Amino acid sequence: MNLSRVIVLLLILLIGVGYVSWHVWQLLPMTVTGKWVVTGALLLCLVCFFTNFIFGLDDKPMSVAVALYELGSSSLFIGFYLLLFFLVLDLGRLFHLVPRSFLYNSWIGTVSVIVIMTGLFVYGYFNYLHKERVPMVLNSDKPFHQPHRLVMMSDLHLGYHNRADEFRKWVDMINEENPEVILIAGDIIDRSIRALIEQDMASEFHRLKAPVYACLGNHEYYSGEPRAKKFYQDAGIHLLIDEHSVVPLAGGDSILIVGRDDRTNKRRASLRHLIGSAPKGYYTILMDHQPYHLEEAQQAGVDFQLSGHTHYGQVWPISWIEDLIYEDAFGPLQKGDTHYYVSSGIGIWGGKFRIGTRSEYVVADIKKE
């Protein structure tokens, strides 16, 4: 991201923070001291988000790092919805639908904002905890002797917020599907390798009852690519970086799995080269973390592409922005004979809230047509 974009984003952020802070100050029916305390506390929570990124959390005790991560990242989403809520109220005032007294030194206004925001984010939290099972049938003209089940997912973002106790539940849920292969399309790691090591996340991966194949995501680069690769090795994950693997299945069948390096690496191999160097005649599944240039998979003759990265914005209306950025920001797509699925992710980055989106995993059955 170039300097001009960074400056524009910072200006937008500062304007938004100022707008929300001014509204909170005006709304609270308190003394000046009380207003300073509440507004200052809200601002400190938001500042915490940025200090976490600038100074990091790995040098702090695990309990402190977890608390700072949850506090900082959650405040970003809460601040965003406060901004939207106050914009709606200002529009209501403009059209004489909301009385001015509701927004100035108002107990009714204060309680209303607290109740609505609390209800919204309690819903968002429990909606995130619920993992949607997405069934899918992949019909193939390849000579399969029997159907085969795969579990596919992306964006686990394991670390300070998606911790070992939660991941343990995901592992149990996946094992119940009895898959022959598990595919993960990047961003297993959130940002900190230290958080995974201290929670012994590798041992949880070893509890999975099927082989795991994965590609890198952008967050593996943020966490440090060499350390990420070492964790994948310790966890028993078959990491494919611009590589392919013929994976044996039951009944003597096989599929070809291709894993692209993340587009963070500007020198990654072209998809045409990867498919061109792979053996022919197999049902081909491509894992490519970021869903850009989807036509390349169609041109290369890929049967199915699994991507993630978008999280579908995590919360509405950011999901609408994602729809403008990507050809397919979420869900299935077909281009010619190539099928695609862009997952909103089983995990999440930042605050554990899903509002207007879902956390999911895909259960795909490959069958001969």
Side-chain angles (χ1 to χ4, degrees):
M1 185 178 292
N2 59 42
L3 181 60
S4 60
R5 289 184 180 179
V6 171
I7 292 172
V8 169
L9 287 174
L10 285 175
L11 286 174
I12 292 173
L13 179 64
L14 288 173
I15 292 170
V17 169
Y19 176 78
V20 171
S21 299
W22 180 81
H23 262 295
V24 170
W25 181 280
Q26 297 294 330
L27 180 67
L28 293 171
M30 296 180 174
T31 64
V32 171
T33 300
K35 290 175 184 285
W36 271 116
V37 169
V38 175
T39 307
L42 292 174
L43 288 173
L44 283 175
C45 290
L46 191 59
V47 167
C48 178
F49 170 79
F50 293 99
T51 57
N52 290 345
F53 270 94
I54 295 170
F55 300 109
L57 296 170
D58 287 353
D59 61 338
K60 298 173 178 62
M62 182 63 71
S63 59
V64 174
V66 167
L68 289 175
Y69 187 106
E70 299 283 13
L71 180 65
S73 60
S74 296
S75 66
L76 189 68
F77 290 91
I78 294 170
F80 174 67
Y81 270 88
L82 280 172
L83 174 66
L84 295 180
F85 191 53
F86 285 132
L87 283 172
V88 169
L89 290 176
D90 279 342
L91 286 173
R93 276 192 59 209
L94 182 64
F95 291 100
H96 307 289
L97 299 174
V98 176
R100 183 181 184 279
S101 60
F102 186 83
L103 290 170
Y104 291 87
N105 297 315
S106 170
W107 276 114
I108 294 176
T110 299
V111 172
S112 298
V113 170
I114 292 173
V115 169
I116 291 172
M117 295 298 292
T118 300
L120 182 66
F121 281 96
V122 167
Y123 156 76
Y125 175 71
F126 283 102
N127 188 42
Y128 166 71
L129 291 182
H130 171 71
K131 307 304 175 186
E132 188 78 15
R133 180 186 188 272
V134 181
M136 182 182 299
V137 175
L138 301 176
N139 293 310
S140 171
D141 59 358
K142 303 300 190 296
F144 285 115
H145 296 96
Q146 64 186 66
H148 301 283
R149 172 160 291 185
L150 283 65
V151 168
M152 301 187 287
M153 53 188 167
S154 72
D155 299 277
L156 282 66
H157 287 275
L158 301 175
Y160 288 120
H161 66 318
N162 291 318
R163 296 182 288 278
D165 54 348
E166 190 168 353
F167 181 48
R168 192 170 298 116
K169 298 175 184 177
W170 304 356
V171 170
D172 293 339
M173 183 173 57
I174 293 164
N175 282 336
E176 288 177 3
E177 298 291 345
N178 295 311
E180 294 183 54
V181 180
I182 299 165
L183 303 181
I184 306 177
D187 279 5
I188 290 177
I189 301 164
D190 184 58
R191 198 174 183 93
S192 168
I193 293 290
R194 172 250 186 167
L196 277 72
I197 293 173
E198 288 199 14
Q199 296 176 80
D200 194 18
M201 294 279 198
S203 66
E204 289 301 317
F205 277 100
H206 284 288
R207 289 204 307 114
L208 290 166
K209 297 178 181 178
V212 180
Y213 290 80
C215 66
L216 292 177
N218 54 308
H219 276 254
E220 273 74 37
Y221 279 93
Y222 299 159
S223 65
E225 181 196 2
R227 297 181 69 196
K229 290 178 180 178
K230 177 64 165 58
F231 173 80
Y232 276 52
Q233 181 180 1
D234 293 342
I237 298 169
H238 302 280
L239 178 60
L240 300 177
I241 306 175
D242 284 345
E243 296 173 290
H244 57 75
S245 179
V246 176
V247 178
L249 302 175
D253 295 331
S254 298
I255 58 174
L256 178 70
I257 298 177
V258 179
R260 290 198 79 180
D261 197 354
D262 186 68
R263 72 193 301 264
T264 302
N265 179 9
K266 303 302 182 184
R267 298 191 298 258
R268 69 175 180 168
S270 70
L271 184 57
R272 184 183 297 275
H273 171 76
L274 286 177
I275 299 300
S277 63
K280 306 299 185 287
Y282 295 98
Y283 186 87
T284 303
I285 297 177
L286 168 67
M287 294 184 294
D288 192 356
H289 179 64
Q290 301 189 46
Y292 289 96
H293 303 296
L294 299 181
E295 72 282 352
E296 292 181 359
Q298 179 191 1
Q299 294 165 359
V302 169
D303 294 298
F304 179 82
Q305 176 174 329
L306 173 67
S307 295
H309 180 67
T310 71
H311 302 192
Y312 201 35
Q314 299 191 186
V315 298
W316 177 90
I318 299 178
S319 51
W320 286 358
I321 299 174
E322 299 282 338
D323 285 329
L324 296 174
I325 296 173
Y326 300 96
E327 179 182 2
D328 181 19
F330 166 66
L333 177 72
Q334 182 173 355
K335 295 171 72 69
D337 293 328
T338 302
H339 295 262
Y340 303 79
Y341 193 84
V342 178
S343 176
S344 56
I346 190 171
I348 210 166
W349 167 88
K352 290 182 178 178
F353 308 114
R354 286 278 191 182
I355 300 172
T357 68
R358 70 190 189 196
S359 294
E360 63 176 20
Y361 64 101
V362 177
V363 180
D365 292 314
I366 304 178
K367 298 180 179 180
K368 180 177 173 56
E369 285 182 325

